[in-house]
Amino acid sequence: MGVFREQEVLGNFIDNHDNARFLHCYDNLNRWKTGVVFTLMSVGIPIFYYGGEQGYAGGDDPNNRETLWTNMNPKSALYGFVKAIIATRKTHQTWASDQIERYVDDNFYAFSRGDVFVATTNVDKTINRTISYHPYHNGEILCDVFFPDNDCILVLNGVFNVVLLNGEPKIFVPRNPSELQAHLRGAVSQR
């Protein structure tokens, strides 16, 4: 690991009070989301600068220190996005698991931490990858934490397919067997 032997004590961040916010420099929400997913899910100490969950895009200091207490909206889409990541971290205690690279190429990076699978891209188009190196069993269903009811994939013949739309990141977790049974009962009753 070179100079930094203990990566788990290094701070990860995408925004801070010393620089213009990411969204000021790059007007690309999916890239920001990818940065947040990587920041909060990777090995290290995640640092989340206030206001990101509100889409703040201030420039250089002091413009990057927007007032939050008069503009806080816990129902905003970005707030829900960040909340889903934090809930996944807590529920699956990702900090207790190593980060294992599962797929890497010039435009796609995926890793797991325990039973959580993270998929990211650096392009603003739809990208599709077949994952064969993973910790899951055949028949297991993985659901994206951002759209758990309609973005699930099946592990079949030792592989599963990940599709990232327009540069979006995804975090997959195994569907809880009791949730699966309830989901299947609901699908059958809707027929």
Side-chain angles (χ1 to χ4, degrees), residues 30 107-108 121 123-129 161-168 170:
N30 277 339
N107 299 124
F108 185 89
T121 183
V123 295
D124 299 322
K125 62 182 182 178
T126 298
I127 194 165
N128 183 343
R129 297 294 185 268
N161 199 41
V162 173
V163 178
L164 303 179
L165 303 173
N166 302 313
E168 71 179 339
K170 292 186 179 183

Side-chain angles (χ1 to χ4, degrees), residues 118-191:
V118 177
T120 63
T121 183
N122 61 355
V123 295
D124 299 322
K125 62 182 182 178
T126 298
I127 194 165
N128 183 343
R129 297 294 185 268
T130 300
I131 309 299
S132 60
Y133 177 52
H134 57 79
Y136 308 109
H137 302 289
N138 279 330
E140 208 161 355
I141 296 175
L142 311 175
C143 295
D144 180 16
V145 300
F146 306 117
F147 302 100
D149 294 329
N150 55 12
D151 190 1
C152 296
I153 52 180
L154 176 66
V155 179
L156 190 60
N157 298 320
V159 301
F160 60 91
N161 199 41
V162 173
V163 178
L164 303 179
L165 303 173
N166 302 313
E168 71 179 339
K170 292 186 179 183
I171 301 173
F172 289 100
V173 297
R175 178 171 263 173
N176 180 315
S178 62
E179 288 176 17
L180 176 60
Q181 292 302 319
H183 179 74
L184 292 175
R185 281 193 302 276
V188 170
S189 66
Q190 291 175 1
R191 290 185 182 167

Side-chain angles (χ1 to χ4, degrees), residues 74-140:
K75 295 182 180 175
S76 75
L78 293 181
Y79 186 95
F81 177 82
V82 173
K83 186 176 178 180
I85 300 168
I86 293 170
T88 302
R89 278 182 52 84
K90 288 180 178 180
T91 301
H92 295 268
Q93 298 183 5
T94 57
W95 58 84
S97 299
D98 290 334
Q99 180 172 325
I100 300 171
E101 288 186 342
R102 298 298 180 172
Y103 195 108
V104 180
D105 66 30
D106 289 344
N107 299 124
F108 185 89
Y109 180 68
F111 62 92
S112 66
R113 300 213 44 205
D115 65 349
V116 177
F117 186 88
V118 177
T120 63
T121 183
N122 61 355
V123 295
D124 299 322
K125 62 182 182 178
T126 298
I127 194 165
N128 183 343
R129 297 294 185 268
T130 300
I131 309 299
S132 60
Y133 177 52
H134 57 79
Y136 308 109
H137 302 289
N138 279 330
E140 208 161 355

